[in-house]
Every structure is written in structure tokens, then in C-alpha cells.
Amino acid sequence: MWRILGRSLILRLVGVSLLLLLIVQLAGFAVVRAGIERNARSQIARQLDVDENVWLRLLEQNAERLRQGSALLAADYGFRSAVHSGDDETIQSVLENHGERIGAAATALLDTNMAYRALTAPSSAQAFIPTLEQLAPQLARSPQGSQIAVVDGVPYQFVMVPMRAPVLVGWVLMGFPLDQALADEMRRLLSVQVALVVQESDGRVTVPVSTLPATLRDQIAAQGGQVDEIDSPDGVLLSRSSPLPSVNGQVHALLLRSVDAVVAPYRQLQLLLAFITAGGVLLFALGSGLMAQRVITPLQSLMRATQRLSRGEYDTPMEHTRRQDEIGRLARSFDRMRVDIGAQQKEIMRLAYWDRLTGLPNRERFRETLVRALEPGAGQAPPVSVLTLDLDRFKHVNDVMGYAFGDRLLQAVAQRLADLVTSPDDMVARLGGNEFAVLLRGAEAPEALAVAQQILTSFEQPLALQDQTVDLSAGIGIACWPGDAEDADMLLSRSEIAMYAAKRKLSGALRYDAAIDSSSAQNLSLLTELRRAVERNELRLYLQPKVPLHGQSGSAAEALVRWQHPQRGMVPPMEFIPFAEQTGFVRQLTLWIFEEVAKFLAQPAQQSRGLRVSVNLSTRDLLDPDLSHKLAALLDRHGVKASSFCLEITESAIMDDPLRAEAMLNRLSEQGFKLSIDDFGTGYSSLAYLKRLPVDELKIDKSFVMGMEQGKDDAMIVRSTIDLAHNLGLTVVAEGVETGGILERLRALACDEAQGYHISRPMPAQEFLAWQQRQG
């Protein structure tokens, strides 16, 4: 395809170049031809000037010959004697003999009164008599001149001389026709075509004398003798009309010369130029083709190189990089691009498939390898086992020792796992955070359990890092193919399910069992019903009041969700909230609660009371990059301010991904939301990190609040938390207030707000309105 494109581009380049060259050459030929034509016409015009002068001179010479003959006759003694004696017979004979001798067609003797006494004519004398009577007076006035007259359609040239003896006794008149001999003589002298055009007194036009073919003679007569140029078998003839003053009609001579005869010498030069041009065009085409080929060939090479780049082949160097012209610079630029893209692709592949911290394959690489391991299908491929491992108390290590120490700990764990799994067919990968995975090809459940036990045994030996000794423990989940799953994603997912179950049960290593799978058929049915619950409006908004302990203005409540199932009745939150968090459906629940609260707060009664409602955010909510935009859209839809909400986030939700959580909390705080840390005291977050977060409130976990009456330790924790929060500029809310004694102790400790069954149980939103009115 590229070769065809290259050839077509060569053809276009050569074709355009040749077209431009041909246009220039044709324009040159046209200019030369027009110049030759113009010069030929100018040259013919000059030649016709000469021809006209020669023609007039020839007529004058003939007239002079006649005058001399007439003068000789007039001086002849015998002729004068015959005139004196009135011998008409002798006069007639002398006129005829003398006329024939000098070539005169007509001779006449006139008396002193211009009346003819004798006349010889080629035809009837009666035709000449009127002409002689008309010509004689004119010729008498100019005896040295001549006069043209038309007789019977034939032009004649007449001269007349006086005859004296010694006085004037008469006039001798002679005339000869302007005949074909005169035209042929003109043709022989100057190679010019001659045509005498006669327009008689009756308007008839004839061409009695011509050197032209009969067809052209007829064409001239048909055009009335007014011809500037005429087409002939020899080419175009340019004409010059030379008028001859005449009697009994109009006579003019047409002198014609051929343009082709003048241009003929240049034709060979034009033909030679045509051959030279053809040779130049051929050489130019060959040169252009070679030059285009020299340009197109490297471009084709570069196009093939781009195809290789598009296929991910970055190892083949570019061609033509040694050239010093623009093609070479382009090739070197492409080669630098190839090297840079190759390096970037390697880096991208490394980032896409390898963990930067530990150097192990990441989750995506592990998954692709697992997919390839299962490709042959059931009954054909060897068994495959997947182990997933999650370190215990790793967040505590990060909080106490810092993240840099935690990173080195992960690197040491990765090295220890790599030392245990040495088979080239197996793989150790880091899935993320403190979670690792092991792929065992050809291993069934007993072998996988043995490897898991080896890992747990190796973890019994503490790690020594920076003069610190760290005890390791982990939960390991095992899933085997084909028994526990049908594909790679399900196998990995069920291995993780087993791992979380092992961590909860502190059993070390645990193989997958459908009984512990939260995605089993029963729970899948629950997820379907939960989705329908939102669509069918089966969820209910409940509010639990939060009361100020020191007379602060305003009122507050926490938003809770209840599920009114059509068959199961009221489903407890603990049966579907954790499941929603695990499956990710908690995001839809959060948006439902937020919108229901926004509708509630948009009521005029609540706008006047200044109610602030707390809404819980889960880990999945906090890590949703569009959360702030979704909440802002809901606020705009219902016309509620962000300051009417308090968003509660657990410590664990923040510490799952601290950087992303901090970024989202900053955006929410900038929008005007009040932020609260829920269940404070049960997690492992550091105070230094807590101080960086834009939180406004701490909520003490109910386990500490409820234990204040029985244990001094819980009371001390509550006191310390209140003092700590106030020192940080935060308000404190205590939940789990079950008795009046606890409420009074919290008031004594300067706690800001309280929440619990002693104050009020959660109630439907409409009942909360009545509760507010009762409280005044």
C-alpha cells in the first residue's frame, strides 16, 4: 500500500513539474509563434510597399514605351504627309502597322478638335469611340501622362502625343491592355501574386487579369475586390490594394504575398525547438522522477517505521539518519522520537505491571498471568492455587514508625516471600498497600496450604530494621482452581474473601468456603433486593437528635437509613450496611440519604430552625473523585447550603488512602461542609496527621462513653479526648449516652454535644418535627 502511495506521490510530483514545464514551453511557443506571425506580416507589408512601387513603375515604363512609339509615329514624314493629304487608307494602315510593331492594342488619330479620324482596335471600334472622346481632353492637358480606361470590361493604359507640322495638325493616341502578360511579368520579377479588379460603371466586378487560381479569382470577385487576406492552397495571402485612376469604371491592382512563404524559414527553427523541448521535458521528467524517488523512498522508510512504532516495535533504528539534508534531519528526529517513546513505553509498562516500591509484579500483571495460566480450560490445564496475604497492624507501624519505615518493611516482606517462592512458574506480587499474592501453578489445596504454612512460619522470625525489631503476622486466604472458581477474577476475589475471613478469625491461613463468601447466592439476592429497595422507595430516613450540653444555639441530628422490606419487615442496618460497603453499593445509599436530608432541610420549618444534619461517609465514598461534584449538584437542586450538613468520616476510612482522603476532605471543606471524625479512639491515626485534616468535630466512640460509669480508664480516655479536641480547636460529640449520669458527667467534662438513647432513639423524619416542637 505504501509503495502504491509512494508511486502515486512520485507521479503527482513529476506530473505537476512536467505540467508547469509544458505550460511554460507552450506559452513560449505561443509567444514565439505570435512574434513570427507579427514579424511575417510586418515583413510582407514592407515587401508589398516595394511591390506596389515596382508595379506603378512597370506601368509607367509601359506608358513611356507607348509615348515613345506614339512620338515616333507622329514624327514620321510619310504619316504626316498622309494626314495632310487626307489619305485615310494610308493613315489606317500606318496606325495598324505601327501599333503592332510597338505592341499597342489600340491606335487612333485625332484632329485638332479631338475628333477621331482613324482608329484601330482589338474589337469593335464603336466601343472605343466614347472612351477616346472622354480621354482625349484629359490627355491633351497632360501629354506626358497616361490614363487608364475600362473598355468592354478590360483595363487599358492610354497615352497621347501631339503631331505638329510644324503647327499642331492632330493627335496620336495609343493604348495597350493591362493583360496577363503584365501580371506574369510582375510575378516573375518579384514573386508576388497580382490580380486586377475592375468595377465597371454598372457596378459589376470582374477580375480579368490574375496570377491566382480561378477559384481565388472568383472569391475575390464575389467579395467585390475588397480583400485584406485570403486563404489559398499555399496558405494565407495578405493583399495590398493599389488603386489606378481610370475612366468608365474603377480599377485597382491587388498585390498578394503568402504568409507561409515568409514563415517557412522559421518552421524548421520551430521544429528544432520542439525537438529540443521534447528532449528537455524527457530529461526533466527523468530528473524529477529520480529526485522524487530520492525523496519518496526515505518517506516510505519513515512510514514503515511509524507502522513498526504503532505495533510497539521500538528496537529497529531509523534509516537515512546519516543524510545531511532535510530528510536526514527528519529521520534523526524520528529516531529520537523512537528512542524516547520506547523509553516511555518501557517506563509505562513498568509502572503498569510492576510495583515501584518492592519491584514485584502488581495486581494487573498478576491478573494477566493468572488469566494465561487458566487459558486452556477445565480438564486440560494443571491446577492453580492463589494465596493472598495481608499484614496485621501495618497501619499501626506506619503511625508509630512513620511511612518510610513502613515502606522498608514492605520491601523486606517482599524479599522474604520471593525467597520462599523460587519456582520460575510461580509468581509473587504486591496487590496494593500491605496486600501480597502468590500464584502457584500445578498446586492443589494441600500444596497451597503447605506454602501458606511456610510463609506463616517465616513470619515468626522478627524483622530487624533500623535497630528496630518488628514482629510480623498476616492473614492468608487460599483459593484453588478449578474447584473454587470458574475464572481468574473470581479466583482472585475468593482468595481475598478467604484472607479477610482468616484475619477476622485470627486463623492464620484459611481456604475459601462458600459459607464465608459475602458474594454468595444469598447475598447476591440481597444486593438485587437492595437495588430494588431504592427504586421502589422502600428505604426510610431516620434522624437521631444531638443536643447541646451548654446552651449553644441551633439544633443537630444524625441521619440514619432503615429498610422497610415488604416480606422481611424492618431490616436492621447491620444486615445490609456492611454488605453495601463491601459491594460498593454504599455510594448509592449515601447519595440517597444525602438527597433525602436535603429535601428535609429545604422545608420552610427546618430553614427557620437552623438544623444541621450529620451524614456518614464510607471509605468508598471518600475515594470517589466525583463526590464533591455530586454533592454540590444535589445542593443546587434543592437550594440547601453546605453548612447545613456535617459529614462524618471514620478514622479507618481516612487511613485507607490518606493522600486521596485528605485531598477530598479539603475540597469538601472548601465547599462549606462541616467535617467530623466518627468513632474517634478506635483507630490508629496519628495526631500529627489528624491536625492536618480540615475537620471541625470529633465524635467519641460509644464504647468509651458507655463505659464511663464502670471503668476509670474509659472516663480518662473521654476526658483526654475532650481536652485534646478543644486544644486543637475542635468541638466534641459523645455518642452512646444511655443514662442521665453519663450525660451529667459529659456536661461536667465540657463536652459540647451528646447523642444516645437517653436523649432519643432514632425516629422517622416526620416524628423528628414533633420531637423538636416538644423540646421547644
Side-chain angles (χ1 to χ4, degrees), residues 654-666:
I654 297 173
M655 299 311 297
D656 277 347
D657 194 338
L659 295 179
R660 291 177 61 184
E662 182 180 355
M664 179 55 69
L665 291 177
N666 284 324

Side-chain angles (χ1 to χ4, degrees), residues 255-284:
L255 305 176
L256 302 101
R257 282 191 175 272
S258 172
V259 176
D260 291 350
V262 179
V263 174
Y266 300 99
R267 297 297 186 195
Q268 294 182 349
L269 179 60
Q270 285 183 307
L271 184 60
L272 179 61
L273 288 176
F275 282 115
I276 294 174
T277 300
V281 169
L282 180 61
L283 292 177
F284 185 82

Side-chain angles (χ1 to χ4, degrees), residues 30 51 72 91 103 118 142 170 181 205 305 343 354 474 478 521 660 672 696 713 745:
D51 296 339
L72 181 63
I91 293 173
S142 179
V205 176
W354 297 89
I478 304 170
R660 291 177 61 184
D696 306 285
D713 293 338
R745 293 195 65 177

Side-chain angles (χ1 to χ4, degrees), residues 187-310:
R187 173 71 173 158
R188 287 193 302 271
L189 288 175
L190 298 177
S191 300
V192 62
Q193 302 284 357
V194 180
L196 290 180
V197 180
V198 176
Q199 183 176 4
E200 300 184 39
S201 57
D202 59 359
R204 186 165 57 92
V205 176
T206 60
V207 183
V209 177
S210 175
T211 60
L212 296 172
T215 55
L216 295 181
R217 183 183 304 179
D218 296 339
Q219 186 176 348
I220 293 174
Q223 295 181 10
Q226 305 299 319
V227 177
D228 293 329
E229 62 180 53
I230 189 170
D231 292 331
S232 72
D234 296 330
V236 177
L237 298 177
L238 297 183
S239 68
R240 171 70 61 82
S241 176
S242 179
L244 301 175
S246 59
V247 176
N248 291 338
Q250 297 179 7
V251 179
H252 63 272
L254 286 181
L255 305 176
L256 302 101
R257 282 191 175 272
S258 172
V259 176
D260 291 350
V262 179
V263 174
Y266 300 99
R267 297 297 186 195
Q268 294 182 349
L269 179 60
Q270 285 183 307
L271 184 60
L272 179 61
L273 288 176
F275 282 115
I276 294 174
T277 300
V281 169
L282 180 61
L283 292 177
F284 185 82
L286 293 176
S288 299
L290 293 176
M291 182 61 68
Q293 184 69 28
R294 180 172 172 79
V295 173
I296 296 302
T297 300
L299 292 180
Q300 290 175 337
S301 175
L302 294 178
M303 286 188 287
R304 289 191 296 269
T306 57
Q307 284 184 315
R308 291 195 299 270
L309 292 180
S310 66

Side-chain angles (χ1 to χ4, degrees), residues 84 141 161 188 201 239 241 299 446 477 502 579 613 617 683 712 767:
H84 279 293
R141 288 192 297 271
V161 295
R188 287 193 302 271
S201 57
S239 68
S241 176
L299 292 180
F579 173 73
V613 180
L617 296 182
K712 295 182 179 180
E767 294 183 12

